[in-house]
């Protein structure tokens, strides 16, 4: 069957229409057009991953940021949660795990830019949305322009600025953006007032953002002062009820940016004054593509790699020109001096979240382990980082017929094009449903016709057409572009589709997987999909871990997995093999049934939804290396070490992995509450 597109209509580029942009001391500029961001005078697509520094130990920051960098992330985004820094009024704490300056400098050392999400209100499943308890008791309205609140907001901004002064892009630093507030959908005047006090305080960044979603027309924002950023999640664990939700539309290509589902537990339905966000003024930018989801007590989705990869691929094909994930690196909440700092019904929210765990099923777990979304997403990130200047000006051309989420038999496809060259995007995946196999699909872009391919199973890919490869015009490739090292071009063969490269001179190449073909003065390297999952472009070189996830730490190649590892490195002609030996011994674990040794200090988490039976085990490990796994099904589980709560989880279908170092040398007990049929699940009982 032939698949074609609606007529492509090019949008005129608009510049200097927003109060944004800036130059660093070396003369490089970052600017914002209506279609894309520019950096150094070229179109640019940033890849942003959320990592909450206060939800990790400061000794881990640099290593985890290095993992993010290896995963293709170029920008680290992070919230400043007010309650973490001023839990008691007038007593500010930016030390240790709360040291934002160290985090920004660690990010710079890792090669990452930073976007600060200043609040004052942040949400992020933090207690009171990040507001301190003392602020909640004030007599004036919060998130409003009244004098009482704005005085406190100004002090909050000033205290943050004292910590990050001199680290902004215009100073030669790596802070390139600031987000004001979060999910404030109907108060443009307040957002403008927050930007005003930030500028008066001294903040300067080339990019200012606010979240742009609400239920219908887009958030009310100060139009010329900020860029609205959007999001999309594979599931909605904040949704009411415990039933199965309708199939998500986020796995179908669409020009619609606004997701009314995000924050539905907080956002009002629709305002009635006819406001419409002028999307045409801004590039399509995201800050909350779900890198996973955080489970709530009443909804516990189980996320896999394709859930995240397909979602990001679809948004990229739909025109996304700033890729932002929430979360990319999971974390662990802290317990404050006065109270736990997690969101819960006890703090007035509709949902209960775990006290400590903010793992989010993210690409990098709360304890630094790498998950499958990390590997799949990196294939997109390498492509964007090397070819983003070509992709960014290209706009989405819609398919002749666009299937909805419930249509599981039609091809889901689109393209981004400049009218002659471009990229075809195909997503053959729908979360919690099976798409029908498609045989003999012929994609006709209007300028090139791809050969027929069979699209079967859970796959999603990007095929280039009319691309210049170092002076060689490639008509098309039926393999996914990954990256470039000088005149070597790397592709990933899609499972079930033969890789074929056709050039303008009529040459057609049919390489084997994991092979190198020399054509004229370039090299075409075709990796198997499985091998491409472990490819990492680091410091201008391409590495492929052999079943391990490679990153660079303090100038050395490391693996995220424990123990010895090996990898291949491209030397310009072929891959050379390297092996690294590491002394390592997996800790053994012993679980012993015991009677309740003490009344758990946070028993409320074990009795959500009503009183539940508790079972206890004493845990002992033989060493501090590796992870132990907790198996079995339960409602909530808590781990106490020397009487202190150090980890917790709601069971959602996977074994609970805990680092042995958290337990080793301490008296530890595990308590689990009984599971009942009172929550949404995606696992078998």
């Amino acid at each position: 069957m032939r698949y074609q597109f609606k007529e492509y209509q090019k949008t005129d580029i608009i510049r200097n229409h927003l109060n944004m942009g800036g130059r660093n001391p070396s003369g490089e500029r970052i600017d914002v057009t209506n279609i894309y961001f520019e950096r150094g005078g070229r179109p640019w697509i940033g890849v942003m991953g959320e990592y909450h520094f206060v939800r990790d130990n400061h000794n881990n920051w640099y290593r985890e940021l290095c993992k993010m960098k290896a995963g293709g992330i170029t920008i680290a985004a992070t919230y400043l949660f007010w309650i973490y820094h001023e839990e008691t009024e007038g007593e500010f704490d930016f030390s240790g795990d709360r040291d934002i300056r160290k985090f920004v400098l660690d990010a710079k050392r890792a090669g990452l830019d930073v976007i600060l999400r200043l609040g004052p209100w942040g949400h992020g499943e933090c207690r009171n949305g990040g507001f301190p308890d003392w602020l909640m008791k004030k007599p004036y309205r919060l998130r409003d322009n009244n004098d009482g609140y704005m005085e406190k907001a100004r002090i909050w901004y000033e205290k943050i600025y004292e910590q990050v002064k001199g680290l902004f892009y215009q100073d030669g630093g790596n802070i390139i953006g600031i987000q004001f507030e979060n999910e404030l959908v109907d108060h443009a005047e307040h957002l403008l007032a927050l930007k005003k006090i930030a500028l008066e305080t001294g903040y300067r960044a080339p990019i200012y953002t606010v979240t742009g979603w609400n239920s219908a027309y887009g958030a009310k924002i100060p139009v010329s002062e900020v860029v609205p950023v959007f999001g999309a999640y594979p599931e909605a664990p904040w949704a009411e009820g415990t039933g199965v939700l309708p199939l998500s539309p986020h796995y179908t290509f669409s020009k619609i940016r606004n997701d009314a589902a995000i924050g539905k537990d907080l956002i009002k339905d629709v305002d009635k004054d006819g406001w419409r966000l002028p999307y045409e003024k801004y590039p399509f930018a995201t800050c909350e593509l779900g890198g996973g989801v955080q489970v709530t007590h009443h909804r516990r989705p189980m996320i896999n790699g394709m859930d995240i990869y397909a979602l990001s691929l679809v948004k990229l094909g739909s025109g996304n020109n700033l890729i932002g994930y929430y979360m990319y690196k999971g974390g662990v909440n802290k317990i404050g001096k006065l109270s736990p700092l997690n969101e819960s019904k006890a703090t007035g929210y509709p949902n209960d979240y775990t006290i400590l765990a903010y793992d989010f099923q993210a690409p990098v777990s709360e304890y630094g382990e790498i998950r499958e979304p990390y590997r799949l997403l990196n294939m997109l990130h390498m492509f964007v980082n090397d070819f983003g200047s070509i992709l960014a000006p290209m706009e989405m051309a819609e398919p002749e017929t666009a299937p909805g989420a419930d249509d599981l038999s039609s091809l889901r496809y689109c393209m981004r094009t400049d009218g002659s060259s471009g990229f075809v995007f195909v997503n053959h995946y729908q979360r919690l449903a099976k798409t029908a196999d498609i045989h003999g699909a012929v994609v006709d872009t209007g300028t090139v016709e791809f050969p027929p391919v069979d699209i079967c199973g859970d796959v999603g890919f990007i095929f280039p057409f009319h691309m210049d490869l170092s002076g060689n015009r490639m008509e098309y490739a039926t393999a996914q572009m990954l990256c470039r090292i000088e005149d070597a071009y790397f592709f990933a063969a899609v499972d079930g589709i033969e890789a074929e490269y056709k050039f303008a001179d009529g040459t057609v190449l049919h390489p084997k997987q994991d092979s190198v073909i020399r054509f004229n003065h370039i090299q075409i390297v075709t990796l198997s999909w499985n091998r491409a999952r472990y490819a990492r472009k680091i410091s201008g070189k391409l590495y492929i871990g052999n079943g391990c996830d490679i990153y660079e730490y303090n100038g050395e190649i490391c693996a995220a997995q424990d123990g010895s590892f090996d990898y291949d490195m491209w030397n310009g002609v072929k891959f050379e093999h390297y092996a690294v030996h590491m002394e390592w011994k997996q800790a053994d674990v012993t679980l012993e049934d015991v009677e309740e040794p003490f009344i758990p200090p946070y028993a409320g988490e074990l009795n959500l939804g009503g009183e539940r039976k508790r079972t206890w085990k004493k845990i002992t490990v033989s060493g501090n290396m590796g992870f132990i796994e907790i198996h079995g099904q339960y409602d909530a589980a808590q781990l106490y070490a020397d009487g202190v709560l150090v980890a917790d989880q709601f069971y959602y279908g996977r074994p609970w992995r805990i680092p042995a170092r958290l337990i080793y040398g301490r008296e530890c007990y595990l308590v689990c509450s009984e599971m009942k049929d009172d929550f949404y699940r995606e696992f078998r009982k």
Side-chain angles (χ1 to χ4, degrees):
M1 183 173 176
R2 184 178 301 276
Y3 296 91
Q4 297 176 299
F5 299 85
K6 294 179 180 178
E7 183 179 358
Y8 164 72
Q9 294 183 336
K10 184 175 177 59
T11 301
D12 292 334
I13 298 296
I14 304 173
R15 290 184 169 86
N16 303 317
H17 62 300
L18 303 174
N19 292 322
M20 257 174 283
R23 184 187 305 274
N24 69 11
S26 67
E28 181 192 77
R29 285 193 61 87
I30 293 177
D31 289 295
V32 186
T33 77
N34 59 321
I35 303 296
Y36 53 83
F37 298 85
E38 288 181 327
R39 188 163 192 166
R42 302 181 67 203
W44 168 69
I45 300 176
V47 185
M48 181 168 65
E50 192 86 12
Y51 177 14
H52 297 158
F53 66 101
V54 294
R55 284 172 160 155
D56 203 354
N57 185 292
H58 63 279
N59 293 318
N60 298 334
W61 291 343
Y62 175 61
R63 183 180 295 276
E64 300 308 301
L65 289 162
C66 287
K67 292 176 187 175
M68 292 173 64
K69 178 69 172 177
I73 298 297
T74 60
I75 306 167
T78 194
Y79 273 124
L80 276 296
F81 292 122
W82 193 344
I83 192 172
Y84 272 82
H85 301 280
E86 194 187 4
E87 191 174 3
T88 299
E89 187 172 8
E91 298 178 9
F92 286 90
D93 185 357
F94 288 96
S95 64
D97 297 345
R98 294 166 168 80
D99 188 347
I100 180 59
R101 188 175 189 85
K102 180 182 186 305
F103 180 79
V104 173
L105 291 173
D106 280 351
K108 185 174 184 178
R109 183 178 163 206
L112 297 174
D113 293 318
V114 170
I115 288 183
L116 299 178
R117 302 178 81 171
L118 298 183
W121 190 86
H123 198 200
E125 289 72 61
C126 184
R127 182 181 177 90
N128 308 323
F131 280 161
D133 285 4
W134 58 262
L135 184 65
M136 300 292 290
K137 299 174 183 176
K138 294 295 184 180
Y140 40 75
R141 183 178 177 181
L142 307 183
R143 307 175 75 185
D144 183 77
N145 283 349
N146 65 78
D147 291 343
Y149 177 70
M150 292 304 289
E151 179 185 0
K152 290 298 183 182
R154 180 182 291 273
I155 293 171
W156 168 235
Y157 275 18
E158 288 173 348
K159 291 296 183 180
I160 298 171
Y161 181 74
E162 290 173 6
Q163 302 300 314
V164 297
K165 184 178 180 180
L167 302 184
F168 292 89
Y169 180 77
Q170 284 91 328
D171 305 318
N174 56 324
I175 300 175
I176 66 167
I178 295 169
Q179 178 182 303
F180 302 112
E181 251 282 346
N182 189 48
E183 297 174 350
L184 188 68
V185 303
D186 58 358
H187 204 333
E189 296 81 6
H190 183 54
L191 295 172
L192 182 61
L194 290 175
K195 182 177 180 181
K196 182 175 183 291
I197 64 171
L199 294 177
E200 290 172 352
T201 300
Y203 291 89
R204 291 293 185 277
I207 301 171
Y208 301 100
T209 71
V210 295
T211 49
W213 55 78
N214 76 354
S215 58
Y217 303 121
K220 291 182 180 179
I221 66 173
V223 171
S224 299
E225 302 297 328
V226 293
V227 172
V229 288
F230 297 89
Y233 286 89
E235 236 279 353
W238 52 81
E240 296 179 1
T242 57
V244 178
L245 298 177
L247 293 180
S248 170
H250 294 308
Y251 295 95
T252 61
F253 296 98
S254 170
K255 291 186 176 181
I256 296 174
R257 306 180 189 183
N258 195 5
D259 180 9
I262 302 177
K264 192 176 179 181
D265 55 346
L266 298 167
I267 294 173
K268 298 175 183 178
D269 289 339
V270 181
D271 68 69
K272 301 176 181 179
D273 63 1
W275 161 263
R276 175 192 169 276
L277 183 65
Y279 296 97
E280 63 277 5
K281 292 181 177 290
Y282 314 104
F284 181 9
T286 57
C287 66
E288 290 197 24
L289 291 182
V293 294
Q294 178 75 343
V295 298
T296 58
H297 186 261
H298 74 294
R299 294 195 68 86
R300 308 184 193 183
M302 188 161 58
I303 303 301
N304 65 39
M306 280 300 293
D307 290 340
I308 307 305
Y309 169 82
L311 178 71
S312 185
L313 180 143
V314 165
K315 297 305 176 184
L316 187 63
S318 299
N320 188 14
N321 272 341
L322 173 62
I323 306 170
Y325 300 104
Y326 188 102
M327 298 288 297
Y328 189 83
K329 166 68 177 76
V332 179
N333 296 320
K334 288 180 169 53
I335 294 176
K337 298 176 182 178
L338 306 177
S339 65
L341 299 179
N342 64 307
E343 174 182 285
S344 68
K345 290 182 179 179
T347 62
Y349 282 91
N351 311 308
D352 280 311
Y353 290 87
T354 40
I355 295 172
L356 295 181
Y358 199 68
D359 176 70
F360 220 81
Q361 303 180 60
V364 184
S365 81
E366 61 187 320
Y367 299 122
E369 288 194 287
I370 300 300
R371 294 193 172 107
E372 185 62 12
Y374 177 101
R375 303 178 184 113
L376 295 177
L377 290 175
N378 181 59
M379 297 167 70
L380 298 179
H381 302 163
M382 286 192 294
F383 164 67
V384 165
N385 289 336
D386 276 9
F387 303 106
S389 61
I390 299 171
L391 177 66
M394 294 179 174
E395 298 175 84
M396 177 190 179
E398 296 178 283
E400 277 190 327
T401 303
D406 294 329
D407 184 347
L408 302 176
S409 59
S410 299
L411 184 65
R412 302 173 180 204
Y413 70 105
C414 77
M415 71 173 169
R416 288 183 65 170
T417 182
D418 58 11
S420 60
S421 62
F423 302 90
V424 170
F425 290 75
V426 172
N427 173 44
H428 195 246
Y429 179 80
Q430 176 69 50
R431 174 169 155 77
L432 300 183
K434 180 173 176 56
T435 51
D437 292 345
I438 296 175
H439 297 278
V442 176
V443 176
D444 182 354
T445 70
T447 60
V448 68
E449 183 178 293
F450 282 81
V453 295
D454 295 337
I455 303 171
C456 306
D458 295 337
V459 296
F461 52 84
I462 308 168
F463 286 170
F465 64 95
H466 285 180
M467 298 298 298
D468 178 79
L469 305 186
S470 301
N472 297 273
R473 183 177 177 86
M474 184 176 68
E475 292 297 290
Y476 64 75
T478 59
Q480 180 157 316
M481 291 190 82
L482 289 179
C483 64
R484 174 186 180 181
I485 307 288
E486 297 179 339
D487 287 331
Y489 293 85
F490 296 82
F491 294 79
V494 180
D495 289 343
I497 298 177
E498 181 184 12
E500 178 177 306
Y501 308 91
K502 182 178 180 180
F503 288 85
D505 65 359
T507 300
V508 179
L509 306 177
H510 293 93
K512 295 180 180 179
Q513 293 189 13
D514 298 317
S515 67
V516 180
I517 291 181
R518 288 164 180 80
F519 173 72
N520 293 336
H521 60 280
I522 65 172
Q523 298 175 87
I524 304 292
V525 185
T526 307
L527 303 175
S528 67
W529 191 266
N530 183 58
R531 191 158 159 77
R533 291 163 53 241
Y534 291 98
R536 308 285 180 266
K537 191 173 181 184
I538 302 171
S539 299
K541 298 179 180 180
L542 187 68
Y543 300 84
I544 301 180
N546 291 308
C548 60
D549 296 286
I550 299 299
Y551 67 101
E552 186 177 42
Y553 178 73
N554 282 333
E556 295 185 0
I557 296 300
C558 303
Q561 292 79 2
D562 294 315
S564 300
F565 63 96
D566 63 297
Y567 61 92
D568 300 320
M569 185 185 77
W570 177 255
N571 66 7
V573 178
K574 63 180 182 179
F575 284 101
E576 294 180 352
H577 186 71
Y578 295 85
V580 178
H581 178 71
M582 302 285 289
E583 292 292 339
W584 179 79
K585 183 179 180 181
Q586 170 65 46
D588 295 322
V589 60
T590 301
L591 298 173
E592 176 188 356
D593 292 334
V594 295
E595 295 297 321
E596 185 162 273
F598 52 84
I599 297 175
Y602 300 98
E605 183 181 45
L606 301 168
N607 292 318
L608 293 172
E611 195 73 21
R612 299 173 190 262
K613 179 182 177 182
R614 299 197 290 259
T615 58
W616 288 79
K617 295 181 184 293
K618 185 174 183 179
I619 302 185
T620 307
V621 293
S622 61
N624 63 356
M625 294 184 179
F627 283 73
I628 67 165
E629 289 190 348
I630 305 299
H631 294 269
Q633 298 183 0
Y634 48 83
D635 184 63
Q638 295 179 342
L639 179 63
Y640 288 89
D642 298 331
V644 176
L645 180 67
V646 294
D648 63 346
Q649 176 164 271
F650 296 146
Y651 181 75
Y652 66 94
R654 292 195 172 104
W656 186 18
R657 291 178 59 80
I658 301 169
R661 66 180 181 273
L662 200 61
I663 302 171
Y664 182 63
R666 308 172 76 179
E667 184 177 14
C668 296
Y669 293 93
L670 172 72
V671 55
C672 299
S673 58
E674 68 174 314
M675 186 175 69
K676 298 179 181 179
D677 291 326
D678 59 351
F679 61 89
Y680 168 74
R681 69 190 68 187
E682 292 175 6
F683 61 89
R684 294 183 179 180
K685 185 173 180 179

